[in-house]
C-alpha cells in the first residue's frame, strides 16, 4: 500500500474518532473460523481505556498487538499515545501478515476491509470470508 493510501486510511479512522468525540477509538481486526470460505474478517471499533485502568485487561488481551500510525518524520520515542490505532490478536496477525487495510465507499455503505491477503487462496464476493493454503 502506498504511503498516500495509508495516510487516507489513517485520516478516515481519525475522522471517525473526531466525529464520535472519542480520541481513544481503535479498530480491532480479528479472524475467526466461519463464513462461506472457512475464515471471516471481523472488524469493530472499540474504545481503549487508559493503560493503568482495570478495564484495560478486559479490553486488550495479552496476545494483542496495537499498531499506531506515526508519520515518517516522527521519532517513535517521543510519539504520543494519541492517534489512529489498529489492534490484532496473535492468531489473526499470523493469518493477516502482509495484508492491507483499506477504507471503501460503495453504494451500500462504507467500511474498512482487508485486501491483498497473501495467505488467501480464495474469497467470497463481498470480501469478508476467505480460505487459506494448508
Amino acid at each position: 500500500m502506498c504511503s498516500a493510501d495509508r495516510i487516507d486510511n489513517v485520516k478516515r479512522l481519525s475522522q471517525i474518532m473526531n466525529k464520535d468525540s472519542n480520541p481513544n477509538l481503535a479498530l480491532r481486526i480479528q479472524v475467526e473460523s466461519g463464513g462461506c470460505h472457512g475464515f471471516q474478517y471481523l472488524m469493530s471499533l472499540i474504545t481503549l481505556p487508559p493503560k493503568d485502568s482495570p478495564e484495560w485487561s478486559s479490553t486488550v488481551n495479552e496476545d494483542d498487538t496495537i499498531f499506531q500510525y506515526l508519520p515518517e518524520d516522527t521519532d517513535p520515542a517521543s510519539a504520543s499515545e494519541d492517534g489512529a490505532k489498529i489492534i490484532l490478536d496473535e492468531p489473526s496477525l499470523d493469518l493477516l501478515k502482509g495484508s492491507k487495510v483499506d477504507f471503501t465507499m460503495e453504494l451500500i455503505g462504507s467500511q474498512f476491509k482487508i485486501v491483498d491477503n497473501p495467505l488467501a487462496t480464495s474469497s467470497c464476493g463481498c470480501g469478508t470470508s476467505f480460505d487459506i493454503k494448508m
Side-chain angles (χ1 to χ4, degrees):
M1 179 175 287
C2 76
S3 182
D5 290 339
R6 188 176 22 232
I7 292 169
D8 286 342
N9 292 331
V10 170
K11 284 182 183 176
R12 285 289 178 192
L13 188 51
S14 296
Q15 286 172 347
I16 295 168
M17 293 165 65
N18 290 334
K19 180 180 172 220
D20 290 354
S21 300
N22 186 351
N24 301 317
L25 204 61
L27 178 64
R28 177 177 283 286
I29 302 173
Q30 294 174 282
V31 175
E32 291 188 353
S33 60
C36 56
H37 277 66
F39 293 97
Q40 59 187 350
Y41 303 114
L42 299 175
M43 296 194 200
S44 57
L45 293 171
I46 64 167
T47 298
L48 288 176
K51 285 185 179 178
D52 56 356
S53 74
E55 294 86 24
W56 179 264
S57 61
S58 63
T59 305
V60 179
N61 303 315
E62 285 185 25
D63 70 341
D64 283 344
T65 301
I66 300 175
F67 297 92
Q68 180 178 357
Y69 173 78
L70 297 175
E72 291 181 22
D73 58 348
T74 303
D75 176 15
S78 65
S80 74
E81 291 291 315
D82 297 334
K85 294 179 185 71
I86 295 178
I87 304 173
L88 289 106
D89 57 62
E90 189 172 335
S92 299
L93 184 58
D94 289 341
L95 291 168
L96 295 173
K97 281 187 180 167
S99 300
K100 298 173 187 171
V101 178
D102 196 13
F103 186 81
T104 61
M105 296 178 67
E106 300 166 354
L107 290 175
I108 59 172
S110 55
Q111 65 181 343
F112 288 99
K113 65 192 312 189
I114 302 295
V115 295
D116 299 334
N117 183 344
L119 296 179
T121 56
S122 63
S123 64
C124 66
C126 64
T128 60
S129 179
F130 68 102
D131 192 9
I132 62 169
K133 297 181 250 193
M134 292 298 213

